């Protein structure tokens, strides 16, 4: 039975040589993994297959057997060389090849016997391997601007096919231009594994903007994801091309504060030694780029420079302005003047810029600067001027007191509301505050506050007779007095009182009339006696007494 089967197999193999299938299918295997090589790709049903056999191309027209399987029998492994222990058959008659390597890149053929037909399905196997790693080595310590430097070497190890390496700066591919970018690539094949190692060297002429640039390399293999090396940065060195002097100070800079000069150079590494030119004085500063001027004054204002020690022609300059504001008010403080005098108020301003002046009197804003050509008591008060220049402000003050002997400006009277009382009003000016006195006593004394050198004093009186009243004001500088006539306004609402007064007045009038008549009579008698030559001594004495009596009665009537 076995012999028959073997004879049939041989016959079938001979027939197979006559029925080759043209064209090759290609499958890709990953290095080191198990590869499944398909048989017929479903062109033939498994239940119709009587015999399946796998073989491979050994080269030079020779082939090697791997395994064979007859229907309803176990697989028979025939591989004795490098494939021993590495081949097996899948349920769908595919060949399973484990731990594939580059030497497996050849043609494997599946021969299938189905009924009277024998068909061969050759499959070409290609093995791929992604690089074992990708990194940048032999990196430059620094890159000098304008000089072609070897930036580094990027290596992609053990790949198949050989890796193609791309250099990138800030994720943008670099392309060799024969000027500032040169890229040299080489491939080395391992004689044992057949794997390729690609090496790429980048030579690069750096620019100033490359100071923070990230350089890397990458490769995109036929299979697998893109590999990117860890980015690297480089110190970019270059000579100083620009220098700048920066002023660091509080704004605005005023007297008494500090100012720092900072010299900034764009070289890398940056210069550490500078010359500072301080208005004719040269100061060398080492291991620092700043110089501080303390307690500045207006004399500090001017041009300042800094320069490189090793290249004095490279310098920068800046102007420094120290703001100042001085004011002098003359006179100031406490000032005492006499009323009527002139006061020359002088405000001197010494400032580094335009100023604005404002005045107040007793904390009330004035529209303009006060002028005193003839001082009055109302000019007394607290004066303050404020001078502003930007955010700077200065103040000066004057406490002005205008003094002088008091003067009564007005003395008048008016009838009280009840119609019986007289209200006397005395208005005066003077400083210090004058004392007010009256020649009579009164009630309801009223005195206004002493303001702007003015005072008003009132009294209420009930005159019983016509009077002359005086008001006197005085202070340490002198006194003033004025008088006013006050008439009696006394009256009684009783009719009886009015009657008695009328009777008395009538009697007095009658007495006066009788006395006058008698006086006339006596004069006539005297004339008659002159004619008769009689003596008149006694008559003259009586006449004199009568005249005194009449005058007394007249005064009583007036009262």
């Amino acid at each position: 039975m076995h012999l028959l089967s073997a004879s049939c197999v041989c016959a079938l193999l001979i027939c197979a040589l006559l029925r080759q299938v043209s064209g090759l299918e290609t499958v890709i295997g990953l290095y080191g993994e198990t590869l499944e090589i398909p048989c017929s790709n479903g062109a033939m049903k498994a239940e119709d297959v009587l015999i399946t056999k796998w073989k491979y191309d050994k080269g030079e027209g020779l082939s090697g057997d791997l395994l064979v399987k007859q229907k309803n029998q176990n697989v028979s492994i025939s591989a004795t060389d490098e494939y021993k222990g590495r081949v097996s058959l899948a349920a769908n008659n595919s060949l399973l090849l484990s731990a594939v390597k580059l030497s497996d890149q050849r043609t494997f053929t599946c021969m299938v016997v189905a009924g009277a037909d024998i068909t061969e399905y050759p499959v070409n196997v290609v093995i791929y391997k992604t690089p074992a790693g990708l990194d940048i080595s032999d990196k430059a310590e620094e890159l000098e601007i304008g000089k072609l430097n070897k930036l580094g070497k990027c290596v992609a190890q053990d790949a198949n096919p050989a890796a193609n390496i791309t250099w990138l700066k800030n994720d943008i591919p670099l392309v060799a231009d024969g000027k500032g970018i040169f890229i040299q690539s080489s491939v080395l094949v391992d004689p044992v594994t057949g794997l390729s190692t690609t090496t790429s060297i980048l030579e690069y002429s750096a620019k100033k903007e490359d100071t923070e640039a990230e350089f890397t390399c990458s490769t995109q293999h036929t299979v697998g994801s893109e590999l990117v090396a860890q980015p690297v940065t480089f110190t970019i060195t270059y000579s100083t091309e620009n220098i700048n002097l920066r002023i660091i100070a509080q704004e605005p800079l005023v007297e008494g504060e500090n100012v720092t000069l900072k010299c900034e150079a764009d070289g890398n590494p940056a210069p550490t030694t500078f010359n500072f030119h301080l208005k004719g004085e040269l100061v060398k500063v080492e291991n620092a780029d700043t110089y501080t001027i303390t307690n500045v004054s207006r004399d500090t204002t001017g041009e300042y420079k800094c320069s490189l020690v090793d290249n004095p022609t490279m310098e920068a300059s800046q102007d420094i302005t120290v703001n100042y504001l001085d004011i002098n008010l003359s006179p100031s403080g406490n000032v005492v003047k006499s009323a009527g005098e002139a006061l020359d108020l002088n405000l001197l301003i010494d400032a580094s810029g335009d100023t604005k002046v404002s005045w107040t009197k007793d904390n009330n804003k004035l529209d303009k600067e006060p002028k005193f050509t003839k001082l009055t008591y109302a000019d007394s008060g607290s004066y303050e001027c404020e001078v502003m220049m930007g955010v700077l402000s200065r103040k000066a003050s004057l406490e002005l007191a205008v003094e002088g002997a008091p003067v009564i400006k007005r003395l008048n009277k008016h009838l009280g509301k009840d119609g019986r009382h007289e209200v006397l009003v005395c208005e005066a000016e003077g400083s210090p505050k004058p004392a007010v006195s009256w020649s009579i006593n009164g009630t309801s004394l009223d005195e206004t506050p002493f303001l702007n050198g003015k005072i008003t004093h009132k009294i209420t009186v009930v005159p019983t007779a016509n009077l002359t009243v005086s008001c006197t004001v005085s202070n340490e500088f002198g006194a003033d007095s004025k008088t006013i006539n006050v008439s009696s306004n006394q009256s009684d609402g009783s009719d009886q009182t009015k009657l008695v007064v009328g009777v008395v007045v009538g009697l007095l009038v009658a007495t006066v009339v009788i006395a006058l008549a008698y006086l006339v009579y006596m004069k006539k008698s005297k004339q008659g006696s002159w004619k008769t030559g009689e003596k008149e001594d006694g008559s003259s004495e009586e006449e004199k007494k009568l005249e005194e009596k009449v005058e007394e009665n007249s005064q009583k009537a007036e009262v």
Side-chain angles (χ1 to χ4, degrees), residues 25-295:
E25 179 183 359
T26 299
V27 294
I28 297 174
L30 297 181
Y31 188 89
E33 298 182 8
T34 297
L35 173 64
E36 180 177 351
I37 306 174
C39 177
S40 78
N41 272 331
M44 191 172 294
K45 296 181 179 180
E47 58 269 19
D48 296 335
V49 176
L50 299 176
I51 300 174
T52 301
K53 181 179 180 178
W54 278 97
K55 60 182 179 178
Y56 69 97
D57 182 9
K58 297 180 67 174
E60 299 181 355
L62 300 177
S63 63
D65 294 334
L66 296 174
L67 57 82
V68 62
K69 180 182 184 306
Q70 295 187 42
K71 189 175 183 179
N72 299 325
Q73 292 186 13
N74 293 328
V75 177
S76 175
I77 304 297
S78 55
T80 57
D81 50 14
E82 57 181 311
Y83 294 106
K84 184 178 181 179
R86 293 177 58 209
V87 294
S88 61
L89 191 67
N92 60 357
N93 291 328
S94 295
L95 177 67
L96 299 177
L97 179 61
S98 65
V100 295
K101 47 192 176 180
L102 294 190
S103 58
D104 295 330
Q105 294 188 118
R106 57 185 62 184
T107 300
F108 291 81
T109 302
C110 173
M111 187 181 68
V112 177
V113 177
D117 295 327
I118 299 177
T119 308
E120 286 189 348
Y121 298 95
V123 179
N124 187 45
V125 172
V126 176
I127 305 301
Y128 285 166
K129 183 181 183 303
T130 59
L134 190 66
D135 59 2
I136 299 175
S137 59
D138 294 342
K139 293 175 289 187
E141 294 184 0
E142 59 185 31
L143 301 179
E144 183 178 351
I145 284 183
K147 182 179 179 180
L148 196 63
N149 301 271
K150 179 182 176 182
L151 186 143
K153 179 172 64 176
C154 183
V155 179
Q157 296 179 341
D158 298 333
N160 189 63
N164 289 319
I165 294 177
T166 300
W167 285 93
L168 304 99
K169 183 183 79 171
N170 295 331
D171 296 328
I172 299 176
L174 293 174
V175 179
D177 57 8
K179 297 178 181 179
I181 302 175
F182 291 85
I183 299 175
Q184 299 177 353
S185 297
S186 61
V187 177
L188 180 63
V189 178
D190 189 309
V192 176
T193 63
L195 297 175
S196 300
T197 295
T198 301
T199 300
S200 180
I201 298 175
L202 172 62
E203 290 183 305
Y204 185 78
S205 179
K207 304 177 182 62
K208 188 178 297 186
E209 56 267 26
D210 294 327
T211 300
E212 300 296 331
E214 290 187 341
F215 292 85
T216 187
C217 59
S218 69
T219 180
Q220 178 64 64
H221 202 264
T222 307
V223 293
S225 59
E226 180 183 22
L227 293 179
V228 181
Q230 184 69 27
V232 293
T233 58
F234 297 90
T235 299
I236 309 300
T237 63
Y238 49 90
S239 301
T240 298
E241 297 177 353
N242 299 288
I243 189 171
N244 178 58
L245 178 60
R246 186 157 61 96
I247 306 300
I248 304 173
Q250 186 74 27
E251 288 292 339
L253 179 62
V254 297
E255 291 184 309
E257 295 184 351
N258 300 338
V259 59
T260 297
L261 311 179
K262 184 176 179 63
C263 200
E264 300 172 329
D266 63 354
N268 192 32
T272 58
T273 304
F274 295 92
N275 284 329
F276 286 90
H277 305 261
L278 312 175
K279 297 182 68 175
E281 179 185 0
L282 181 64
V283 177
K284 181 179 179 180
V285 176
E286 296 182 348
N287 300 320
D289 59 357
T290 61
Y291 181 83
T292 300
I293 305 173
T294 59
N295 193 26

Side-chain angles (χ1 to χ4, degrees), residues 423-424 436-438 440-448 456-461:
V423 180
L424 307 183
V436 182
S437 62
W438 297 88
I440 62 171
N441 293 328
T443 61
S444 302
L445 299 178
D446 183 20
E447 181 179 286
T448 61
T456 300
H457 201 279
K458 300 178 182 180
I459 63 170
T460 302
V461 298

